[in-house]
Amino acid sequence: MANETARPPINVLIVDDETSQRNPLAAMVSSWGFVVETADDGQQALDKLGAFPANVIITDLMMPRMDGFELMKRLGADGNMPTAIVLTAFGNIETAIETIHDLGAFWFLEKPIQPNALRILLERAASQSALAEETERLQRQLSYQGVLVDMVGTSAPMQQVFSIVRQVAPSKAPVLIAGESGTGKELVARAIHHLSSRRGGPFVAINCAALPETLMESELFGHEKGAFTGALERRAGCFELAQHGTILLDELGEMPSGTQAKLLRVLEDSRVRRLGGKSEISVDVRVIASTNRNIEDALKNGDLREDLYYRLNVFEIALPALRSRMSDVPLLCETLITQLNHKHSCNVTHLHPEVLDAFMKHSWPGNVRELRNVLERAVIVAGAGVIQMAHLPYDFGVSSGTRTAPEFLEPESVRLPVGTTVSEAEKALIQLTLQHTKNNKTRAADILGISLKTLFNKLKEYGAEAASSAEAS
Ligand SMILES: Nc1ncnc2c1ncn2[C@@H]1O[C@H](COP(=O)(O)OP(=O)(O)OP(=O)(O)O)[C@@H](O)[C@H]1O
Ligand SMILES: [Mg+2]
């Protein structure tokens, strides 16, 4: 019986070493209107998949040469996992459950196969596959119009970023995202997660700069009760929390070197051991790392371990600064205004041409985050209608670049003219020290004699200040 509803052809690959099982199964599935191909074992299945893109794989587990486990592991690693139906012999339920857990296999069916049960599973698998294809098609169409998940950008460099994101998303390969602060590194990481088969799993982001070594390791790998002073309860780490999902290691260059070595081991073995723990836990997590540091510098001065870098940079995405893709500004404004209208219940329609002109002349050292902050203020002040120059900070666009740096900073010393306020002096000192430590915040906090947390609070304050007053500080 051919399928009655008009649906695109669904390719089914049947993998079984026993001809007496495989052939009747193929005949039955093909009589239901599916396009069927067969393979004797995992190796042949992999060979055939090149020419026969299967939507669904029905596979036996025990086979010579390459068994069903290995087949799915390979497909999973390539990110080309079609929907899979695993056939198991009676009594092998435990293995089957393990398969589903470890490999993300779709379903299992006990032998002898009940035709009705198989048909229901195939129909469901087919509709899931059709849905995934439709979503991908729409995403592709949208990205040509300058939208990819939550990112917008029609400029050539952003279109290039979109294209890499689309390519890397389906695989499990690690990704390293480099770019100045506010360029959208976290947004890219979320887009990769969203466009991967892990989208139903968790996305866990951890800021590697915010914590001292022991706490950082406990955050990443978890700890057992009593592992260190203050470890009152057993706690799962980010890797466990991100099981079957994606972890973003933000500001990787700031991670202590010892922790980087431990992280490398986790990446190599896909296993973590909680601090103070005896056994290891197997983790299936896709790792994305980001840094706003110059990677070459970080490698040269030892802030980023070379071995870890080579493990992580299977794909490297360099996010361009906003000033090098100014043609994106109008579309970004439109998108951000829509988001901000929604957030603040406002009804702003567009920018006055004079405002857009000022935006196009600005150098945006804080990148998209700065643009968003300037717009947020303007949307709130305007409330509705057109954003005018009067809705921007009073000296927006008057000067470009930071005022503090050239006035106060000389190599390795701070010059403080009379009239400098205490907070301006503090800011200048912090900036110079960060310059001296090549942005290593842990070292800068040490030199300044303040806690890392205080340093972060200060930097956050300066960031907000820069954006809300457009370098009036
Ligand atoms: N291409 C884009 N389209 C729309 N919004 C964007 C885009 N890029 C960045 N943004 C917005 O800009 C802000 C900053 O982005 P994000 O937090 O991803 O930057 P980041 O590079 O991780 O910054 P940092 O290094 O400071 O952590 C967010 O509000 C984000 O939504
Ligand atoms: Mg970030």
Side-chain angles (χ1 to χ4, degrees):
M1 180 181 43
N3 62 334
E4 290 127 21
T5 50
R7 66 164 182 220
I10 297 289
N11 292 349
V12 180
L13 179 65
I14 297 175
V15 195
D16 198 326
D17 56 318
E18 284 179 48
T19 326
S20 61
Q21 306 251 358
R22 191 179 65 234
N23 290 352
L25 185 58
M28 181 167 71
V29 172
S30 142
S31 77
W32 293 336
F34 295 94
V35 183
V36 177
E37 183 60 76
T38 60
D40 294 349
D41 58 31
Q43 187 56 56
Q44 200 182 49
L46 284 181
D47 295 343
K48 287 205 169 178
L49 279 170
F52 182 77
N55 302 94
V56 185
I57 285 195
I58 301 178
T59 181
D60 193 18
L61 275 179
M62 302 303 170
M63 288 176 293
R65 283 215 300 175
M66 187 190 290
D67 63 18
F69 282 113
E70 189 57 29
L71 169 63
M72 277 182 292
K73 245 187 230 165
R74 297 274 185 99
L75 292 173
D78 292 349
N80 293 326
M81 186 73 169
T83 303
I85 297 173
V86 178
L87 305 178
T88 69
F90 175 75
N92 266 350
I93 286 289
E94 264 181 34
T95 333
I97 289 175
E98 210 172 282
T99 313
I100 289 181
H101 184 260
D102 286 358
L103 304 174
F106 185 63
W107 251 302
F108 64 88
L109 207 56
E110 225 171 341
K111 291 177 180 176
I113 295 165
Q114 302 289 326
N116 274 345
L118 177 61
R119 189 167 181 179
I120 290 169
L121 288 191
L122 270 175
E123 293 292 349
R124 268 196 223 170
S127 58
Q128 176 167 307
S129 161
L131 196 67
E133 260 173 30
E134 178 63 4
T135 310
E136 203 192 310
R137 192 185 61 78
L138 287 173
Q139 286 285 3
R140 220 177 306 128
Q141 203 177 23
L142 270 174
S143 80
Y144 292 129
Q145 293 164 9
V147 183
L148 187 64
V149 192
D150 289 331
M151 296 181 290
V152 298
T154 48
S155 65
M158 275 316 271
Q159 284 294 303
Q160 215 169 336
V161 168
F162 286 5
S163 145
I164 308 177
V165 167
R166 276 202 314 270
Q167 273 170 32
V168 303
S171 77
K172 200 191 159 184
V175 182
L176 183 61
I177 308 168
E180 287 179 17
S181 184
T183 43
K185 295 184 293 296
E186 180 156 347
L187 220 51
V188 168
R190 286 182 186 276
I192 293 174
H193 174 71
H194 184 82
L195 295 173
S196 75
S197 56
R198 302 172 168 264
R199 80 181 65 85
F203 177 92
V204 179
I206 173 166
N207 186 338
C208 304
L211 298 166
E213 190 159 341
T214 314
L215 281 182
M216 168 100 267
E217 289 184 7
S218 149
E219 278 294 313
L220 280 172
F221 313 128
H223 64 247
E224 294 293 335
K225 188 174 171 181
F228 51 87
T229 326
L232 301 177
E233 295 292 337
R234 159 194 279 190
R235 201 170 148 209
C238 288
F239 270 93
E240 278 177 78
L241 296 176
Q243 186 71 287
H244 301 310
T246 306
I247 191 168
L248 168 63
L249 305 169
D250 208 2
E251 300 208 42
L252 183 75
E254 310 291 325
M255 184 185 274
S257 174
T259 314
Q260 289 188 27
K262 287 185 189 152
L263 174 64
L264 180 65
R265 268 212 310 280
V266 172
L267 297 182
E268 271 161 3
D269 306 343
S270 297
R271 308 182 81 79
V272 287
R273 189 200 296 267
R274 297 194 190 115
L275 298 190
K278 290 197 175 66
S279 55
E280 291 192 318
I281 303 152
S282 151
V283 286
D284 163 38
V285 173
R286 202 247 180 98
V287 179
I288 303 181
S290 77
T291 174
N292 53 22
R293 304 267 301 273
N294 177 307
I295 291 181
E296 262 172 46
D297 287 351
L299 285 171
K300 228 180 273 168
N301 62 26
D303 289 334
L304 180 58
R305 286 179 66 112
E306 223 168 275
D307 44 9
L308 179 63
Y309 168 70
Y310 287 117
R311 189 73 181 74
L312 282 173
N313 87 328
V314 179
F315 286 98
E316 197 169 314
I317 298 180
L319 266 184
L322 184 54
R323 64 186 161 281
S324 63
R325 51 180 171 107
M326 292 299 279
S327 62
D328 284 340
V329 168
L331 182 59
L332 275 168
C333 289
E334 207 179 294
T335 311
L336 293 170
I337 287 174
T338 308
Q339 286 173 13
L340 294 164
N341 271 336
H342 189 72
K343 180 175 170 191
H344 297 291
S345 306
C346 290
N347 198 13
V348 164
T349 52
H350 61 282
L351 303 179
H352 188 277
E354 212 184 330
V355 173
L356 185 58
D357 194 46
F359 279 8
M360 295 307 278
K361 286 184 182 138
H362 187 59
S363 63
W364 301 109
N367 295 296
V368 187
R369 180 173 296 113
E370 183 187 353
L371 175 62
R372 190 190 153 94
N373 288 346
V374 170
L375 282 172
E376 184 154 20
R377 177 188 196 277
V379 164
I380 294 169
V381 178
V386 183
I387 291 179
Q388 313 273 355
M389 285 306 278
H391 301 134
L392 305 186
Y394 75 99
D395 57 351
F396 182 88
V398 169
S399 65
S400 233
T402 54
R403 194 171 66 96
T404 319
E407 264 187 20
F408 295 152
L409 302 184
E410 286 170 2
E412 307 296 303
S413 72
V414 183
R415 188 165 56 87
L416 300 171
V418 173
T420 309
T421 66
V422 170
S423 66
E424 279 173 335
E426 182 184 74
K427 183 173 171 182
L429 189 60
I430 287 178
Q431 284 179 336
L432 182 72
T433 312
L434 279 168
Q435 216 166 295
H436 173 81
T437 63
K438 301 216 167 46
N439 209 30
N440 182 325
K441 300 192 179 75
T442 315
R443 228 179 285 154
D446 258 1
I447 295 172
L448 289 160
I450 57 176
S451 72
L452 195 57
K453 194 157 177 267
T454 307
L455 179 60
F456 269 100
N457 288 338
K458 293 280 173 202
L459 293 176
K460 215 189 250 171
E461 211 175 279
Y462 303 152
E465 201 179 289
S468 70
S469 64
E471 292 117 37
S473 55

